mmCIF file of all heavy atoms in Angstrom:
data_model
loop_
_atom_site.group_PDB
_atom_site.id
_atom_site.type_symbol
_atom_site.label_atom_id
_atom_site.label_comp_id
_atom_site.label_asym_id
_atom_site.label_seq_id
_atom_site.Cartn_x
_atom_site.Cartn_y
_atom_site.Cartn_z
ATOM 1 N N VAL A 952 8.701 45.530 -15.522
ATOM 2 C CA VAL A 952 9.549 46.672 -15.840
ATOM 3 C C VAL A 952 10.733 46.301 -16.692
ATOM 4 O O VAL A 952 11.378 47.176 -17.283
ATOM 5 C CB VAL A 952 10.032 47.392 -14.550
ATOM 6 C CG1 VAL A 952 8.860 47.970 -13.788
ATOM 7 C CG2 VAL A 952 10.814 46.394 -13.639
ATOM 8 N N ALA A 953 11.022 45.009 -16.806
ATOM 9 C CA ALA A 953 12.126 44.557 -17.658
ATOM 10 C C ALA A 953 11.939 43.083 -17.948
ATOM 11 O O ALA A 953 11.599 42.306 -17.070
ATOM 12 C CB ALA A 953 13.480 44.791 -17.003
ATOM 13 N N ALA A 954 12.188 42.689 -19.226
ATOM 14 C CA ALA A 954 12.214 41.279 -19.640
ATOM 15 C C ALA A 954 13.552 41.060 -20.330
ATOM 16 O O ALA A 954 13.759 41.467 -21.489
ATOM 17 C CB ALA A 954 11.047 41.015 -20.586
ATOM 18 N N CYS A 955 14.447 40.411 -19.603
ATOM 19 C CA CYS A 955 15.860 40.326 -20.046
ATOM 20 C C CYS A 955 16.171 38.954 -20.636
ATOM 21 O O CYS A 955 15.660 37.929 -20.213
ATOM 22 C CB CYS A 955 16.775 40.559 -18.841
ATOM 23 S SG CYS A 955 16.411 42.096 -17.946
ATOM 24 N N GLU A 956 17.053 38.966 -21.597
ATOM 25 C CA GLU A 956 17.412 37.731 -22.296
ATOM 26 C C GLU A 956 18.675 37.087 -21.742
ATOM 27 O O GLU A 956 19.063 35.989 -22.177
ATOM 28 C CB GLU A 956 17.565 37.977 -23.797
ATOM 29 C CG GLU A 956 18.711 38.940 -24.153
ATOM 30 C CD GLU A 956 18.800 39.209 -25.614
ATOM 31 O OE1 GLU A 956 17.950 38.678 -26.374
ATOM 32 O OE2 GLU A 956 19.730 39.911 -26.050
ATOM 33 N N ASP A 957 19.348 37.746 -20.802
ATOM 34 C CA ASP A 957 20.532 37.160 -20.206
ATOM 35 C C ASP A 957 20.787 37.747 -18.823
ATOM 36 O O ASP A 957 20.154 38.716 -18.431
ATOM 37 C CB ASP A 957 21.756 37.338 -21.128
ATOM 38 C CG ASP A 957 22.007 38.783 -21.472
ATOM 39 O OD1 ASP A 957 21.939 39.650 -20.603
ATOM 40 O OD2 ASP A 957 22.284 39.065 -22.685
ATOM 41 N N GLY A 958 21.739 37.131 -18.120
ATOM 42 C CA GLY A 958 22.013 37.565 -16.767
ATOM 43 C C GLY A 958 22.678 38.920 -16.687
ATOM 44 O O GLY A 958 22.446 39.693 -15.732
ATOM 45 N N ALA A 959 23.511 39.275 -17.687
ATOM 46 C CA ALA A 959 24.202 40.543 -17.649
ATOM 47 C C ALA A 959 23.209 41.728 -17.731
ATOM 48 O O ALA A 959 23.305 42.679 -16.963
ATOM 49 C CB ALA A 959 25.195 40.652 -18.827
ATOM 50 N N SER A 960 22.243 41.617 -18.634
ATOM 51 C CA SER A 960 21.231 42.697 -18.726
ATOM 52 C C SER A 960 20.332 42.692 -17.504
ATOM 53 O O SER A 960 19.871 43.748 -17.057
ATOM 54 C CB SER A 960 20.392 42.545 -20.012
ATOM 55 O OG SER A 960 19.764 41.294 -20.097
ATOM 56 N N ALA A 961 20.093 41.520 -16.922
ATOM 57 C CA ALA A 961 19.306 41.444 -15.694
ATOM 58 C C ALA A 961 19.973 42.224 -14.560
ATOM 59 O O ALA A 961 19.326 42.934 -13.796
ATOM 60 C CB ALA A 961 19.066 39.983 -15.291
ATOM 61 N N LEU A 962 21.288 42.073 -14.431
ATOM 62 C CA LEU A 962 22.016 42.808 -13.405
ATOM 63 C C LEU A 962 21.883 44.292 -13.595
ATOM 64 O O LEU A 962 21.677 45.054 -12.609
ATOM 65 C CB LEU A 962 23.505 42.392 -13.421
ATOM 66 C CG LEU A 962 23.814 40.989 -12.905
ATOM 67 C CD1 LEU A 962 25.280 40.659 -13.196
ATOM 68 C CD2 LEU A 962 23.541 40.868 -11.413
ATOM 69 N N GLU A 963 22.005 44.750 -14.809
ATOM 70 C CA GLU A 963 21.887 46.179 -15.104
ATOM 71 C C GLU A 963 20.478 46.704 -14.756
ATOM 72 O O GLU A 963 20.331 47.735 -14.121
ATOM 73 C CB GLU A 963 22.205 46.446 -16.572
ATOM 74 C CG GLU A 963 23.643 46.173 -16.965
ATOM 75 C CD GLU A 963 23.892 46.329 -18.444
ATOM 76 O OE1 GLU A 963 22.894 46.646 -19.179
ATOM 77 O OE2 GLU A 963 25.021 46.183 -18.890
ATOM 78 N N GLN A 964 19.448 45.957 -15.164
ATOM 79 C CA GLN A 964 18.101 46.368 -14.946
ATOM 80 C C GLN A 964 17.702 46.291 -13.482
ATOM 81 O O GLN A 964 16.935 47.142 -12.974
ATOM 82 C CB GLN A 964 17.145 45.529 -15.762
ATOM 83 C CG GLN A 964 17.219 45.774 -17.277
ATOM 84 C CD GLN A 964 16.891 47.201 -17.628
ATOM 85 O OE1 GLN A 964 15.848 47.729 -17.200
ATOM 86 N NE2 GLN A 964 17.738 47.860 -18.404
ATOM 87 N N LEU A 965 18.212 45.317 -12.748
ATOM 88 C CA LEU A 965 17.965 45.243 -11.319
ATOM 89 C C LEU A 965 18.497 46.443 -10.591
ATOM 90 O O LEU A 965 17.854 47.003 -9.721
ATOM 91 C CB LEU A 965 18.602 43.943 -10.736
ATOM 92 C CG LEU A 965 17.805 42.664 -10.991
ATOM 93 C CD1 LEU A 965 18.685 41.462 -10.720
ATOM 94 C CD2 LEU A 965 16.545 42.611 -10.133
ATOM 95 N N ALA A 966 19.724 46.847 -10.947
ATOM 96 C CA ALA A 966 20.326 48.030 -10.317
ATOM 97 C C ALA A 966 19.540 49.304 -10.623
ATOM 98 O O ALA A 966 19.375 50.155 -9.757
ATOM 99 C CB ALA A 966 21.777 48.149 -10.747
ATOM 100 N N GLU A 967 19.033 49.382 -11.854
ATOM 101 C CA GLU A 967 18.323 50.583 -12.289
ATOM 102 C C GLU A 967 16.858 50.604 -11.789
ATOM 103 O O GLU A 967 16.400 51.640 -11.252
ATOM 104 C CB GLU A 967 18.341 50.690 -13.798
ATOM 105 C CG GLU A 967 17.593 51.893 -14.332
ATOM 106 C CD GLU A 967 17.557 51.959 -15.868
ATOM 107 O OE1 GLU A 967 18.350 51.231 -16.504
ATOM 108 O OE2 GLU A 967 16.736 52.710 -16.385
ATOM 109 N N LYS A 968 16.153 49.494 -11.955
ATOM 110 C CA LYS A 968 14.694 49.459 -11.682
ATOM 111 C C LYS A 968 14.355 49.142 -10.246
ATOM 112 O O LYS A 968 13.251 49.528 -9.777
ATOM 113 C CB LYS A 968 14.051 48.452 -12.601
ATOM 114 C CG LYS A 968 14.356 48.610 -14.061
ATOM 115 C CD LYS A 968 13.721 49.830 -14.643
ATOM 116 C CE LYS A 968 13.882 49.867 -16.181
ATOM 117 N NZ LYS A 968 13.320 51.087 -16.770
ATOM 118 N N GLN A 969 15.207 48.407 -9.544
ATOM 119 C CA GLN A 969 14.907 48.024 -8.149
ATOM 120 C C GLN A 969 13.513 47.377 -8.013
ATOM 121 O O GLN A 969 12.693 47.819 -7.241
ATOM 122 C CB GLN A 969 14.999 49.237 -7.223
ATOM 123 C CG GLN A 969 16.377 49.911 -7.212
ATOM 124 C CD GLN A 969 17.390 49.122 -6.415
ATOM 125 O OE1 GLN A 969 17.201 48.843 -5.237
ATOM 126 N NE2 GLN A 969 18.496 48.756 -7.040
ATOM 127 N N PRO A 970 13.238 46.320 -8.767
ATOM 128 C CA PRO A 970 11.910 45.722 -8.746
ATOM 129 C C PRO A 970 11.596 45.006 -7.431
ATOM 130 O O PRO A 970 12.514 44.652 -6.671
ATOM 131 C CB PRO A 970 11.939 44.719 -9.918
ATOM 132 C CG PRO A 970 13.381 44.309 -9.974
ATOM 133 C CD PRO A 970 14.155 45.565 -9.648
ATOM 134 N N ASP A 971 10.318 44.794 -7.196
ATOM 135 C CA ASP A 971 9.903 44.061 -5.985
ATOM 136 C C ASP A 971 10.167 42.575 -6.152
ATOM 137 O O ASP A 971 10.445 41.884 -5.144
ATOM 138 C CB ASP A 971 8.425 44.281 -5.727
ATOM 139 C CG ASP A 971 8.078 45.744 -5.550
ATOM 140 O OD1 ASP A 971 8.406 46.278 -4.463
ATOM 141 O OD2 ASP A 971 7.530 46.352 -6.473
ATOM 142 N N ILE A 972 10.060 42.066 -7.412
ATOM 143 C CA ILE A 972 10.171 40.624 -7.668
ATOM 144 C C ILE A 972 11.077 40.396 -8.857
ATOM 145 O O ILE A 972 11.057 41.187 -9.816
ATOM 146 C CB ILE A 972 8.784 40.005 -7.964
ATOM 147 C CG1 ILE A 972 7.803 40.322 -6.827
ATOM 148 C CG2 ILE A 972 8.885 38.519 -8.189
ATOM 149 C CD1 ILE A 972 6.361 40.162 -7.252
ATOM 150 N N ALA A 973 11.874 39.350 -8.806
ATOM 151 C CA ALA A 973 12.675 38.944 -9.989
ATOM 152 C C ALA A 973 12.430 37.491 -10.271
ATOM 153 O O ALA A 973 12.629 36.615 -9.415
ATOM 154 C CB ALA A 973 14.191 39.169 -9.708
ATOM 155 N N PHE A 974 11.922 37.175 -11.467
ATOM 156 C CA PHE A 974 11.770 35.838 -11.952
ATOM 157 C C PHE A 974 13.005 35.465 -12.720
ATOM 158 O O PHE A 974 13.253 36.005 -13.814
ATOM 159 C CB PHE A 974 10.503 35.710 -12.854
ATOM 160 C CG PHE A 974 9.210 35.998 -12.167
ATOM 161 C CD1 PHE A 974 8.697 37.257 -12.063
ATOM 162 C CD2 PHE A 974 8.503 34.917 -11.561
ATOM 163 C CE1 PHE A 974 7.482 37.519 -11.422
ATOM 164 C CE2 PHE A 974 7.300 35.162 -10.920
ATOM 165 C CZ PHE A 974 6.794 36.454 -10.852
ATOM 166 N N LEU A 975 13.853 34.584 -12.156
ATOM 167 C CA LEU A 975 15.156 34.303 -12.702
ATOM 168 C C LEU A 975 15.292 32.874 -13.203
ATOM 169 O O LEU A 975 15.139 31.930 -12.418
ATOM 170 C CB LEU A 975 16.251 34.573 -11.642
ATOM 171 C CG LEU A 975 16.266 35.964 -10.990
ATOM 172 C CD1 LEU A 975 17.316 35.980 -9.908
ATOM 173 C CD2 LEU A 975 16.529 37.020 -12.036
ATOM 174 N N ASP A 976 15.590 32.714 -14.487
ATOM 175 C CA ASP A 976 15.870 31.404 -15.016
ATOM 176 C C ASP A 976 17.209 30.948 -14.430
ATOM 177 O O ASP A 976 18.179 31.696 -14.449
ATOM 178 C CB ASP A 976 15.949 31.472 -16.558
ATOM 179 C CG ASP A 976 16.198 30.123 -17.200
ATOM 180 O OD1 ASP A 976 16.036 29.101 -16.502
ATOM 181 O OD2 ASP A 976 16.614 30.097 -18.351
ATOM 182 N N ILE A 977 17.254 29.761 -13.887
ATOM 183 C CA ILE A 977 18.503 29.252 -13.273
ATOM 184 C C ILE A 977 19.597 29.116 -14.327
ATOM 185 O O ILE A 977 20.737 29.575 -14.139
ATOM 186 C CB ILE A 977 18.267 27.914 -12.582
ATOM 187 C CG1 ILE A 977 17.435 28.098 -11.325
ATOM 188 C CG2 ILE A 977 19.627 27.271 -12.212
ATOM 189 C CD1 ILE A 977 17.247 26.831 -10.561
ATOM 190 N N ARG A 978 19.268 28.474 -15.455
ATOM 191 C CA ARG A 978 20.262 28.134 -16.457
ATOM 192 C C ARG A 978 20.231 29.151 -17.603
ATOM 193 O O ARG A 978 19.370 29.110 -18.462
ATOM 194 C CB ARG A 978 20.008 26.740 -17.035
ATOM 195 C CG ARG A 978 19.816 25.668 -15.994
ATOM 196 C CD ARG A 978 21.143 25.210 -15.416
ATOM 197 N NE ARG A 978 20.978 23.952 -14.664
ATOM 198 C CZ ARG A 978 21.952 23.377 -13.987
ATOM 199 N NH1 ARG A 978 23.150 23.901 -13.970
ATOM 200 N NH2 ARG A 978 21.731 22.259 -13.334
ATOM 201 N N MET A 979 21.170 30.094 -17.580
ATOM 202 C CA MET A 979 21.326 31.016 -18.689
ATOM 203 C C MET A 979 22.808 31.039 -19.084
ATOM 204 O O MET A 979 23.665 30.913 -18.247
ATOM 205 C CB MET A 979 20.876 32.428 -18.302
ATOM 206 C CG MET A 979 19.387 32.592 -18.103
ATOM 207 S SD MET A 979 18.898 34.326 -17.820
ATOM 208 C CE MET A 979 19.520 34.580 -16.118
ATOM 209 N N PRO A 980 23.110 31.214 -20.372
ATOM 210 C CA PRO A 980 24.481 31.260 -20.775
ATOM 211 C C PRO A 980 25.176 32.476 -20.184
ATOM 212 O O PRO A 980 24.559 33.546 -20.005
ATOM 213 C CB PRO A 980 24.422 31.366 -22.300
ATOM 214 C CG PRO A 980 23.057 31.872 -22.589
ATOM 215 C CD PRO A 980 22.181 31.327 -21.499
ATOM 216 N N GLY A 981 26.470 32.350 -19.829
ATOM 217 C CA GLY A 981 27.185 33.449 -19.218
ATOM 218 C C GLY A 981 26.828 33.544 -17.743
ATOM 219 O O GLY A 981 27.167 32.673 -16.939
ATOM 220 N N ILE A 982 26.104 34.588 -17.360
ATOM 221 C CA ILE A 982 25.730 34.818 -15.980
ATOM 222 C C ILE A 982 24.388 34.122 -15.705
ATOM 223 O O ILE A 982 23.384 34.452 -16.313
ATOM 224 C CB ILE A 982 25.616 36.328 -15.713
ATOM 225 C CG1 ILE A 982 26.959 37.016 -15.985
ATOM 226 C CG2 ILE A 982 25.181 36.591 -14.272
ATOM 227 C CD1 ILE A 982 26.883 38.526 -15.881
ATOM 228 N N SER A 983 24.375 33.158 -14.821
ATOM 229 C CA SER A 983 23.187 32.385 -14.540
ATOM 230 C C SER A 983 22.255 33.102 -13.565
ATOM 231 O O SER A 983 22.651 34.075 -12.936
ATOM 232 C CB SER A 983 23.556 31.012 -13.949
ATOM 233 O OG SER A 983 24.065 31.202 -12.639
ATOM 234 N N GLY A 984 21.037 32.578 -13.448
ATOM 235 C CA GLY A 984 20.093 33.121 -12.479
ATOM 236 C C GLY A 984 20.605 33.012 -11.057
ATOM 237 O O GLY A 984 20.326 33.876 -10.213
ATOM 238 N N ILE A 985 21.330 31.934 -10.752
ATOM 239 C CA ILE A 985 21.901 31.765 -9.422
ATOM 240 C C ILE A 985 22.919 32.890 -9.140
ATOM 241 O O ILE A 985 22.937 33.495 -8.048
ATOM 242 C CB ILE A 985 22.578 30.389 -9.304
ATOM 243 C CG1 ILE A 985 21.522 29.291 -9.349
ATOM 244 C CG2 ILE A 985 23.366 30.280 -8.011
ATOM 245 C CD1 ILE A 985 22.077 27.901 -9.391
ATOM 246 N N GLN A 986 23.749 33.207 -10.117
ATOM 247 C CA GLN A 986 24.731 34.276 -9.971
ATOM 248 C C GLN A 986 24.064 35.628 -9.821
ATOM 249 O O GLN A 986 24.516 36.477 -9.028
ATOM 250 C CB GLN A 986 25.699 34.255 -11.124
ATOM 251 C CG GLN A 986 26.609 33.024 -11.161
ATOM 252 C CD GLN A 986 27.387 32.934 -12.461
ATOM 253 O OE1 GLN A 986 26.846 33.091 -13.564
ATOM 254 N NE2 GLN A 986 28.662 32.643 -12.346
ATOM 255 N N VAL A 987 22.998 35.857 -10.549
ATOM 256 C CA VAL A 987 22.242 37.102 -10.431
ATOM 257 C C VAL A 987 21.691 37.209 -9.011
ATOM 258 O O VAL A 987 21.778 38.257 -8.376
ATOM 259 C CB VAL A 987 21.110 37.163 -11.462
ATOM 260 C CG1 VAL A 987 20.201 38.370 -11.180
ATOM 261 C CG2 VAL A 987 21.653 37.262 -12.884
ATOM 262 N N ALA A 988 21.132 36.122 -8.501
ATOM 263 C CA ALA A 988 20.567 36.147 -7.137
ATOM 264 C C ALA A 988 21.638 36.476 -6.103
ATOM 265 O O ALA A 988 21.346 37.143 -5.112
ATOM 266 C CB ALA A 988 19.922 34.791 -6.832
ATOM 267 N N ARG A 989 22.817 35.969 -6.294
ATOM 268 C CA ARG A 989 23.920 36.277 -5.369
ATOM 269 C C ARG A 989 24.232 37.761 -5.292
ATOM 270 O O ARG A 989 24.712 38.238 -4.282
ATOM 271 C CB ARG A 989 25.171 35.504 -5.746
ATOM 272 C CG ARG A 989 25.147 34.017 -5.355
ATOM 273 C CD ARG A 989 26.533 33.412 -5.577
ATOM 274 N NE ARG A 989 26.532 32.018 -5.267
ATOM 275 C CZ ARG A 989 26.660 31.495 -4.035
ATOM 276 N NH1 ARG A 989 26.770 32.330 -2.999
ATOM 277 N NH2 ARG A 989 26.678 30.203 -3.845
ATOM 278 N N ALA A 990 24.011 38.463 -6.403
ATOM 279 C CA ALA A 990 24.341 39.895 -6.451
ATOM 280 C C ALA A 990 23.226 40.783 -5.920
ATOM 281 O O ALA A 990 23.435 41.986 -5.778
ATOM 282 C CB ALA A 990 24.657 40.273 -7.894
ATOM 283 N N LEU A 991 22.050 40.222 -5.614
ATOM 284 C CA LEU A 991 20.935 41.044 -5.212
ATOM 285 C C LEU A 991 21.176 41.837 -3.937
ATOM 286 O O LEU A 991 20.673 42.946 -3.787
ATOM 287 C CB LEU A 991 19.665 40.204 -5.043
ATOM 288 C CG LEU A 991 18.969 39.805 -6.350
ATOM 289 C CD1 LEU A 991 17.791 38.885 -6.019
ATOM 290 C CD2 LEU A 991 18.465 41.024 -7.077
ATOM 291 N N GLY A 992 21.933 41.266 -3.026
ATOM 292 C CA GLY A 992 22.194 41.972 -1.762
ATOM 293 C C GLY A 992 22.843 43.313 -1.989
ATOM 294 O O GLY A 992 22.619 44.258 -1.222
ATOM 295 N N GLU A 993 23.659 43.445 -3.043
ATOM 296 C CA GLU A 993 24.311 44.701 -3.362
ATOM 297 C C GLU A 993 23.500 45.552 -4.303
ATOM 298 O O GLU A 993 23.442 46.773 -4.175
ATOM 299 C CB GLU A 993 25.696 44.432 -3.994
ATOM 300 C CG GLU A 993 26.684 43.741 -3.079
ATOM 301 C CD GLU A 993 27.154 44.632 -1.944
ATOM 302 O OE1 GLU A 993 27.103 45.864 -2.085
ATOM 303 O OE2 GLU A 993 27.588 44.098 -0.903
ATOM 304 N N LEU A 994 22.866 44.947 -5.295
ATOM 305 C CA LEU A 994 22.212 45.657 -6.381
ATOM 306 C C LEU A 994 20.768 46.086 -6.066
ATOM 307 O O LEU A 994 20.346 47.182 -6.389
ATOM 308 C CB LEU A 994 22.219 44.847 -7.663
ATOM 309 C CG LEU A 994 23.585 44.504 -8.252
ATOM 310 C CD1 LEU A 994 23.393 43.607 -9.484
ATOM 311 C CD2 LEU A 994 24.331 45.762 -8.644
ATOM 312 N N SER A 995 20.039 45.164 -5.437
ATOM 313 C CA SER A 995 18.590 45.423 -5.223
ATOM 314 C C SER A 995 18.134 44.609 -4.017
ATOM 315 O O SER A 995 17.444 43.589 -4.148
ATOM 316 C CB SER A 995 17.799 45.030 -6.459
ATOM 317 O OG SER A 995 16.452 45.381 -6.334
ATOM 318 N N PRO A 996 18.496 45.038 -2.808
ATOM 319 C CA PRO A 996 18.339 44.181 -1.624
ATOM 320 C C PRO A 996 16.884 43.857 -1.231
ATOM 321 O O PRO A 996 16.646 42.891 -0.536
ATOM 322 C CB PRO A 996 19.048 44.986 -0.511
ATOM 323 C CG PRO A 996 19.097 46.386 -1.021
ATOM 324 C CD PRO A 996 19.207 46.293 -2.491
#
């Protein structure tokens, strides 16, 4: 449902799409995959 090039767009798409699975690259410039995972409890539990 979304193929994102950075963590910021991943956060937006997670909140909108509420996917079952997120494949997250750990090392991304700006917002990393680890930081995105920390936000899942609020955005897409």
Side-chain angles (χ1 to χ4, degrees):
V952 295
C955 307
E956 63 182 3
D957 55 45
S960 58
L962 288 171
E963 294 175 358
Q964 291 298 311
L965 282 165
E967 178 183 345
K968 307 291 188 183
Q969 300 285 302
D971 301 287
I972 305 161
F974 295 89
L975 304 176
D976 182 17
I977 289 182
R978 309 282 193 183
M979 290 186 288
I982 300 173
S983 71
I985 293 173
Q986 293 170 313
V987 172
R989 283 190 182 277
L991 281 176
E993 295 290 337
L994 297 177
S995 186

